[in-house]
């Protein structure tokens, strides 16, 4: 048992050491770290709304609770100071005819409760402001206005966080692997994408970026150099009718960065294919982006996707997601260069014409000449 666990642990370590670093994870999160940005942190405070929206939920809820509790305590102290200056507290032994600024504030606790009632507009009726102090009236107006601003900002941030379009993007899924096989007589790289909701994405657009390290003729090394990858479907790559799973494909022609790759060499390549799907959410009209990535180990040469859509006897179309990422081996050219060489050879053969009536006759040459 111990030997088995040790082997599993060693194999896990070897697999982890072989694992390639990727910029974009399968669920679309970017694996990137920014360094030495302390000097520009004040810029995040200028764009405070976006900063609040980008915070994680635990930090957002901490700010939410702290904003309300802090304002209640702050104004509670101010109400206590007003009562203290006006000598409304019991330790000053006010006379029977004394009119306080705020009725029934007997200490810091009651001042906090009055601040809470004022800001959240509860108004129990036990504590109230009198017309005795202009300072108390001004403080009541100021707290009411500031309370509305805090409520609007914090509640709006919570609502915007919940309704962000990135949550809609989680119901768009890509196939686990990309495949390379023939489609329409051409060698193509194919990826399957599905919309798990029945609501559409309006104006959807699909494109890709191939990230790799390149060295320029001048000797400069560019890490994460981006090369455009055009993806299409049979109906075009824009304004997709995205109600059922689609198979998008990239034609590997002479302009494609995959043209010089082969079935035996693709695993030795160092690249990351990032696929993007942009669209507008039908319900909220907000734009969203879905992305995923594929490394060489996730590109299967000589496979195609298994069928996923069928028609039932009742006339309905059924999508079986069990076959969503399932692949089937098919006969595929060894490389794109081989496929195009084969096509060129066949094209050259078609340019010649054979004449069955042609007979080759030999003519004997003589050296005799007449003078």
């Amino acid at each position: 048992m111990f030997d088995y666990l040790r082997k599993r642990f060693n194999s896990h370590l070897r697999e982890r050491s072989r694992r390639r670093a990727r910029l974009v994870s399968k669920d679309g999160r970017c694996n990137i770290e920014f360094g030495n940005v302390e000097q520009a942190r004040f810029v995040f405070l200028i764009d405070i709304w976006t900063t609040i929206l980008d915070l994680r939920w635990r930090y957002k809820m901490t700010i939410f609770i702290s904003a309300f509790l802090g304002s209640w305590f702050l104004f509670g102290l101010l109400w206590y100071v007003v009562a203290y200056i006006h000598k409304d507290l019991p330790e000053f032994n006010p006379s029977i005819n004394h009119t306080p600024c705020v009725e029934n504030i007997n200490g810091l606790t009651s001042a906090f409760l009055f601040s809470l009632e004022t800001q959240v507009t509860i108004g129990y009726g036990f504590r109230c402001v009198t017309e005795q102090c202009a300072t108390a009236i001004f403080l009541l107006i100021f707290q009411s206005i500031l309370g509305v601003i805090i409520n609007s900002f914090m509640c709006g941030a919570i609502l915007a966080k919940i309704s962000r379009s990135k949550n809609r993007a989680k119901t768009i899924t890509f196939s686990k692997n990309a495949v390379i096989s023939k489609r329409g007589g051409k060698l193509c790289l194919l990826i399957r994408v599905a919309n798990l909701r029945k609501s559409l994405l309006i104006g959807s657009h699909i494109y890709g970026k191939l990230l790799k390290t390149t060295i320029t003729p001048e000797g400069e090394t560019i890490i994460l150099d981006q090369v455009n990858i055009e993806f299409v479907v049979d109906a075009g790559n824009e304004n997709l009718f995205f109600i059922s799973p689609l198979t998008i494909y990239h034609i590997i022609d002479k302009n494609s960065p995959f043209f010089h790759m082969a079935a035996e060499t693709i695993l030795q390549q160092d690249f990351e294919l990032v696929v993007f799907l942009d669209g507008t959410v039908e319900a909220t009209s907000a734009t969203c982006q879905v992305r995923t990535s594929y490394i060489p180990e996730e590109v299967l040469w000589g496979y195609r996707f298994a069928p996923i859509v069928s028609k039932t006897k009742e006339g309905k179309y059924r999508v079986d997601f069990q076959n969503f990422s399932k692949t089937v081996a098919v006969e595929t050219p060894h490389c794109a260069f081989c496929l195009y060489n084969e096509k060129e050879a066949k094209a050259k053969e078609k340019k010649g014409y054979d004449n069955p009536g042609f007979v080759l006759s030999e003519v004997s040459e003589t050296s005799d000449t007449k003078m």
Side-chain angles (χ1 to χ4, degrees):
M1 183 65 179
F2 178 75
D3 294 338
Y4 173 76
L5 293 177
R6 185 180 60 182
K7 291 180 181 178
R8 290 294 300 273
F9 180 73
N10 292 334
S11 63
H12 175 73
L13 290 180
R14 288 194 299 268
E15 181 181 355
R16 188 172 182 179
S17 63
R18 293 195 305 265
R19 190 176 302 168
R20 300 174 187 253
R22 60 199 310 161
L23 178 65
V24 180
S25 62
K26 297 298 288 184
D27 57 357
R29 290 179 296 180
C30 295
N31 179 28
I32 191 168
E33 179 180 348
F34 296 102
N36 299 324
V37 293
E38 290 80 5
Q39 301 176 357
R41 285 190 174 180
F42 70 94
V43 179
F44 295 99
L45 297 178
I46 296 176
D47 188 13
I48 187 64
W49 177 252
T50 306
T51 303
I52 293 295
L53 289 183
D54 290 340
L55 288 176
R56 296 186 177 182
W57 275 108
R58 54 178 176 268
Y59 302 124
K60 186 184 293 291
M61 295 307 299
T62 300
I63 295 176
F64 182 85
I65 296 173
S66 300
F68 284 103
L69 288 180
S71 62
W72 296 340
F73 276 113
L74 176 62
F75 281 100
L77 290 174
L78 294 178
W79 287 115
Y80 179 80
V81 170
V82 170
Y84 185 87
I85 294 176
H86 198 254
K87 297 182 179 181
D88 297 335
L89 302 176
E91 55 262 29
F92 293 106
N93 296 318
S95 62
I96 300 176
N97 297 327
H98 177 77
T99 303
C101 290
V102 181
E103 295 283 355
N104 299 313
I105 287 187
N106 302 319
L108 188 59
T109 303
S110 57
F112 172 76
L113 292 176
F114 179 71
S115 173
L116 172 63
E117 296 171 12
T118 301
Q119 189 163 327
V120 299
T121 63
I122 295 177
Y124 291 119
F126 182 69
R127 301 177 184 88
C128 61
V129 177
T130 64
E131 66 275 8
Q132 186 68 24
C133 298
T135 305
I137 298 174
F138 172 79
L139 184 60
L140 177 66
I141 296 173
F142 182 72
Q143 184 178 4
S144 300
I145 295 175
L146 186 61
V148 171
I149 295 175
I150 294 176
N151 289 340
S152 302
F153 184 86
M154 297 310 301
C155 294
I158 295 295
L159 181 60
K161 180 75 172 180
I162 295 174
S163 60
R164 290 189 76 175
S165 56
K166 64 184 300 184
N167 296 326
R168 173 65 174 91
K170 294 181 179 180
T171 56
I172 306 297
T173 181
F174 289 89
S175 57
K176 182 180 179 181
N177 297 301
V179 297
I180 294 179
S181 60
K182 291 178 64 175
R183 186 183 182 94
K186 300 178 181 178
L187 190 64
C188 300
L189 183 142
L190 301 97
I191 297 172
R192 179 172 278 174
V193 58
N195 181 11
L196 301 181
R197 290 185 179 272
K198 292 185 178 180
S199 59
L200 298 177
L201 282 181
I202 304 172
S204 300
H205 175 62
I206 297 176
Y207 58 97
K209 299 286 184 180
L210 188 71
L211 309 180
K212 60 180 182 178
T213 301
T214 59
I215 300 177
T216 63
E218 295 77 17
E220 180 185 2
T221 301
I222 303 177
I223 300 177
L224 297 179
D225 187 21
Q226 300 184 15
V227 180
N228 290 327
I229 302 294
E230 294 294 333
F231 282 98
V232 295
V233 294
D234 293 334
N237 63 342
E238 293 185 358
N239 299 324
L240 305 177
F241 185 49
F242 199 15
I243 192 63
S244 63
L246 298 175
T247 300
I248 61 175
Y249 58 92
H250 164 70
I251 301 175
I252 304 178
D253 53 13
K254 295 182 179 180
N255 297 322
S256 172
F258 295 95
F259 183 76
H260 298 286
M261 299 182 189
E264 293 81 6
T265 62
I266 190 171
L267 294 179
Q268 283 74 42
Q269 302 293 325
D270 185 15
F271 68 84
E272 180 178 352
L273 175 61
V274 185
V275 184
F276 302 87
L277 172 63
D278 298 339
T280 303
V281 182
E282 186 180 25
T284 61
S285 297
T287 58
C288 70
Q289 182 182 87
V290 195
R291 53 186 177 266
T292 190
S293 69
Y294 299 92
I295 56 178
E297 288 80 2
E298 296 170 345
V299 179
L300 306 180
W301 196 294
Y303 289 83
R304 64 172 175 83
F305 290 110
I308 191 175
V309 180
S310 60
K311 192 173 183 180
T312 63
K313 296 180 180 179
E314 294 80 11
K316 295 183 178 180
Y317 293 93
R318 184 176 184 272
V319 179
D320 186 6
F321 282 96
Q322 185 177 1
N323 294 337
F324 180 72
S325 294
K326 186 177 295 185
T327 57
V328 179
V330 293
E331 184 179 353
T332 305
H334 168 76
C335 61
F337 190 75
C338 301
L339 177 63
Y340 283 94
N341 281 347
E342 180 183 351
K343 287 185 176 181
E344 290 179 0
K346 291 182 179 179
K348 289 180 179 179
E349 290 179 359
K350 292 181 179 179
K351 290 182 180 179
Y353 296 93
D354 187 17
N355 186 0
F358 177 78
V359 178
L360 178 63
S361 61
E362 296 183 358
V363 179
S364 61
E365 297 181 358
T366 59
S367 60
D368 296 336
T369 59
K370 294 182 180 180
M371 296 298 291

